[in-house]
């Protein structure tokens, strides 16, 4: 039976809901990322409920969930401490004042206590908003125009940064001097002149740029570990180089920690790698699944916001739902030993998958940091977007996804995404996942030639 047939047999109610949704919701889902063209074939699952590490679809199929809402469900679904805190706050306080309140300070104090590079923080609504704020703030602070960003990184959908994420290499120019490419229609072409795009993990091209144009550069914007092209970790010394060169040339360093924030260490990638940026953006994870994002930085980096010269505004900024969620999430994340335990759990899963793939003769390996990783089906090492294009085998990954989802294990169907292990997944989840993976990888290995011929 084909995957589409097997999937359809398991999901008749989902299929009917997708048809219904398409009539009133463009494409049938609330985000382009949830559509069939973004991997959810033949149609996205419709979920009925989530609890802890598992979700159940409307057809009654339960999945061990490594999608985790694309990252925010860092504490699993409906974590009681966060859910109760939000319900209590809404009941006792309301939802939105358009004025400051004490719980907002509490939430800010806890984020500041958790993250090494953050002395002050402003809450907002989405990662895209936080990045947009950081980029404009860097331009305002330095009086410069150019933002440096890297191929294969994603920083949200705003015009200023929606460039050269999963870029077509036929359009992108040479690796040592890429050309910025807008990632979709409607982005003003004029913005190309405000960007420099580089290959990540390539110290030479970065130093060359800083030597020649360092005094034009407002900020270098980077994921500190890339999770928008599978998983790619920084080469030793690379983040340190970004830090020292930006400092030397008076540019700001922005870590986009929308994915990495609070995920594998409480202080995020900056704690883990020991490199402190000027500005940091957060979103997924910050509110334990509630919609909140933030921009943080040193007092100096946040100066123009503090003075009111730079208008960081937003009706829903720091609303009560957000601050209750952040405050409670920060409390849960402070549990001693939590990250060590969950990283070990995720590493056990990753090691198990890598070993099983090798036993079956598959070119596949896991890269990651325990609570977030990817199983790369790849015939060579991947250090940046261009390596990923050269070495990653998407058809084999798709086969792997298909074999896992029908066995009740959910993760993103595309290889350039990743698997999230929440802070409430447990040994049973990992054991069951490895059991499913053993069968699934055997099928992938057995059908490899047919997949690659297709
Ligand atoms: C690193 C990074 N930055 C920014 C964003 C945009 O965040 P949002 O989807 O909340 O706008 C994302 C979303 O996936 C992301 O992964």
């Amino acid at each position: 039976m084909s995957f589409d047939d097997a999937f359809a047999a398991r999901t008749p109610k989902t299929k009917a809901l997708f048809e219904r949704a398409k009539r009133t919701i463009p494409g049938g889902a609330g985000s382009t990322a949830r559509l069939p063209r973004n991997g959810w074939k033949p149609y996205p699952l419709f979920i009925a409920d989530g609890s802890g590490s598992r979700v159940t679809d409307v057809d009654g199929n339960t999945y061990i969930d490594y999608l985790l809402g694309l990252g925010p469900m860092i504490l699993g679904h409906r974590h009681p401490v966060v859910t109760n805190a939000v319900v209590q706050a809404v009941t006792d306080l309301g939802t939105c004042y358009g004025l400051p309140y004490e719980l907002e300070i509490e939430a800010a104090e806890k984020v500041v206590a958790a993250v090494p590079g953050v002395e002050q923080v402003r809450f907002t609504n989405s990662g895209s908003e936080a990045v947009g704020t950081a980029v404009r703030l860097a331009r305002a602070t330095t009086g410069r125009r150019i933002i440096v960003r890297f191929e294969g990184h994603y920083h949200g959908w705003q015009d200023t940064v929606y460039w050269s994420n999963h870029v077509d290499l036929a359009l992108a120019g040479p690796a040592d001097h890429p050309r910025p490419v807008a990632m979709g229609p409607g982005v003003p072409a004029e913005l190309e002149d405000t960007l420099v795009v580089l290959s990540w993990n390539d110290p030479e091209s970065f130093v060359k740029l800083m030597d020649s144009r360092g005094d034009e550069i407002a900020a270098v914007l980077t994921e500190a570990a890339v999770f928008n092209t599978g998983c790619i970790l920084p080469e030793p010394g690379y983040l340190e180089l970004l830090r020292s060169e930006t400092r030397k040339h008076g540019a700001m360093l922005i870590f986009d920690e929308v994915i990495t924030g609070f995920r594998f260490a409480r202080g995020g990638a900056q704690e883990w790698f020991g490199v402190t940026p000027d500005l940091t953006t957060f979103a997924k994870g910050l509110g334990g699944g509630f919609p909140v994002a933030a921009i943080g930085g040193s007092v100096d980096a946040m100066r123009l916001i503090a003075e009111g010269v730079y208008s960081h505004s937003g009706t829903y900024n720091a609303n009560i739902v957000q601050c209750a969620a952040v405050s409670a999430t920060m409390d849960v994340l402070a549990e001693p030993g939590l990250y060590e335990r969950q990283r070990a759990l995720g590493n056990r899963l990753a090691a198990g998958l890598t070993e099983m793939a090798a036993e079956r003769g598959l070119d596949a390996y896991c890269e990651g940091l325990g609570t977030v990783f990817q199983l790369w089906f790849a015939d060579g090492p991947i250090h940046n977007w261009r390596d990923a294009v050269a070495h990653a085998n998407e058809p084999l990954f798709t086969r792997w996804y298909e074999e896992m989802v029908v066995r009740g294990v959910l993760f993103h169907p595309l290889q350039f995404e990743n698997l999230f292990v929440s802070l409430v997944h447990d040994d049973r989840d990992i054991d069951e996942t490895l059991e499913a993976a053993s069968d699934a990888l055997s099928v992938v290995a057995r059908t490899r030639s047919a997949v690659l011929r297709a």
Side-chain angles (χ1 to χ4, degrees):
M1 204 195 294
S2 73
F3 169 71
D4 282 9
D5 290 343
F7 190 79
R10 288 165 56 85
T11 57
K13 288 187 184 157
T14 287
K15 185 165 193 243
L17 283 185
F18 188 51
E19 293 310 316
R20 180 177 148 204
K22 278 194 281 192
R23 291 199 278 275
T24 50
I25 302 170
S31 162
T32 302
R34 296 169 207 164
L35 300 186
R37 65 171 289 162
N38 282 304
W40 295 105
K41 290 179 181 147
Y43 41 82
L45 286 171
F46 276 61
I47 301 299
D49 86 80
S51 175
S53 60
R54 308 215 173 193
V55 290
T56 304
D57 69 22
V58 289
D59 291 285
N61 304 299
T62 294
Y63 303 84
I64 306 173
D65 185 12
Y66 298 99
L67 180 69
L68 290 183
L70 284 173
M73 310 314 296
I74 194 166
L75 299 174
H77 298 273
R78 287 190 278 156
H79 192 284
V81 173
V82 184
T83 307
N84 291 340
V86 171
V87 169
Q88 202 61 52
V90 170
T91 308
D92 293 350
L93 306 181
T95 53
C96 186
Y97 300 139
L99 284 170
Y101 56 104
E102 193 170 352
L103 182 57
E104 180 183 349
I105 311 174
E106 212 173 286
E109 285 171 349
K110 290 177 185 177
V111 172
V112 166
V115 187
V118 172
E119 293 173 340
Q120 292 192 328
V121 63
R122 275 276 184 95
F123 297 112
T124 182
N125 301 287
S126 71
S128 296
E129 281 181 60
V131 172
T133 301
V135 162
R136 199 205 285 168
L137 178 61
R139 288 189 169 125
T141 302
T142 58
R144 301 173 181 181
R145 203 166 68 108
I146 302 291
I147 301 294
V148 179
R149 55 149 299 159
F150 299 91
E151 289 177 341
H153 297 209
Y154 176 64
H155 300 293
W157 48 260
Q158 294 212 8
D159 287 350
T160 47
V161 291
Y162 191 51
W163 293 72
S164 297
N165 170 24
H166 291 167
V167 58
D168 179 350
L169 292 186
L171 305 175
D176 62 351
H177 192 60
R179 175 173 176 219
V181 179
M183 282 291 90
V187 176
E190 297 86 320
L191 291 175
E192 181 177 339
D193 292 343
T194 68
L195 288 170
V196 172
V197 170
L198 294 178
S199 262
W200 203 58
N201 264 336
D202 178 5
E204 286 78 29
S205 61
F206 181 67
V207 172
K208 199 165 143 208
L209 171 74
M210 295 308 279
D211 282 348
S212 59
R213 299 186 66 186
D215 61 352
E216 293 172 59
I217 290 164
V220 173
L221 170 65
T222 187
E223 292 186 61
V226 184
F227 288 104
N228 279 291
T229 295
C231 169
I232 307 176
L233 299 180
E235 291 291 296
Y238 187 65
L239 295 179
E240 289 81 351
L241 179 77
L242 300 186
R243 178 64 285 182
S244 60
E245 285 290 310
T246 43
R247 199 166 268 146
K248 180 166 135 197
H249 293 278
M252 295 179 96
L253 180 62
I254 306 171
F255 277 2
D256 182 351
E257 295 227 42
V258 162
I259 289 185
T260 57
F262 313 100
R263 185 152 319 268
F264 40 82
R266 192 157 155 257
Q270 54 201 269
E271 176 192 322
W272 185 258
F273 294 111
V275 175
T276 303
D278 299 294
L279 292 171
T280 306
T281 52
F282 303 102
K284 306 178 196 236
L286 172 64
F290 284 86
V292 56
I295 171 170
S298 62
V299 169
D300 199 33
M302 301 293 272
R303 184 176 52 83
L304 292 188
I305 296 186
E307 288 171 359
V309 173
Y310 174 100
S311 175
H312 171 246
S313 46
T315 304
Y316 295 116
N317 283 1
N319 66 62
I320 292 160
V321 171
Q322 294 177 342
C323 291
V326 171
S327 175
T329 300
M330 291 303 122
D331 289 346
V332 177
L333 297 184
E335 179 194 326
L338 177 66
Y339 284 97
E340 288 78 359
R341 187 184 76 211
Q342 296 308 112
R343 280 199 308 268
L345 204 65
N347 284 332
R348 179 161 84 79
L349 176 57
L353 295 177
T354 303
E355 193 184 315
M356 282 179 191
E359 282 165 5
R360 287 158 184 73
L362 290 163
D363 282 332
Y365 62 92
C366 284
E367 175 143 336
L369 293 162
T371 50
V372 56
F373 66 86
Q374 182 55 295
L375 174 61
W376 281 113
F377 285 82
D379 60 6
I382 293 174
H383 303 296
N384 54 40
W385 170 246
R386 292 185 186 232
D387 291 344
V389 172
H391 298 301
N393 190 321
E394 192 71 42
L396 275 191
F397 187 90
T398 303
R399 203 73 259 284
W400 150 245
Y401 159 77
E402 291 172 351
E403 290 300 324
M404 288 300 271
V405 78
V406 296
R407 286 175 172 78
V409 179
L410 180 65
F411 48 83
H412 199 288
L414 297 183
Q415 182 156 218
F416 292 153
E417 300 284 337
N418 38 62
L419 276 76
F420 295 104
V421 178
S422 80
L423 298 171
V424 300
H425 276 73
D426 61 15
D427 278 311
R428 194 181 124 224
D429 294 320
I430 304 304
D431 291 340
E432 287 180 22
T433 305
L434 287 171
E435 209 178 300
S438 173
D439 291 344
L441 287 170
S442 294
V443 177
V444 175
R446 210 169 48 238
T447 55
R448 172 177 31 189
S449 316
V451 170
L452 297 180
R453 264 199 316 273

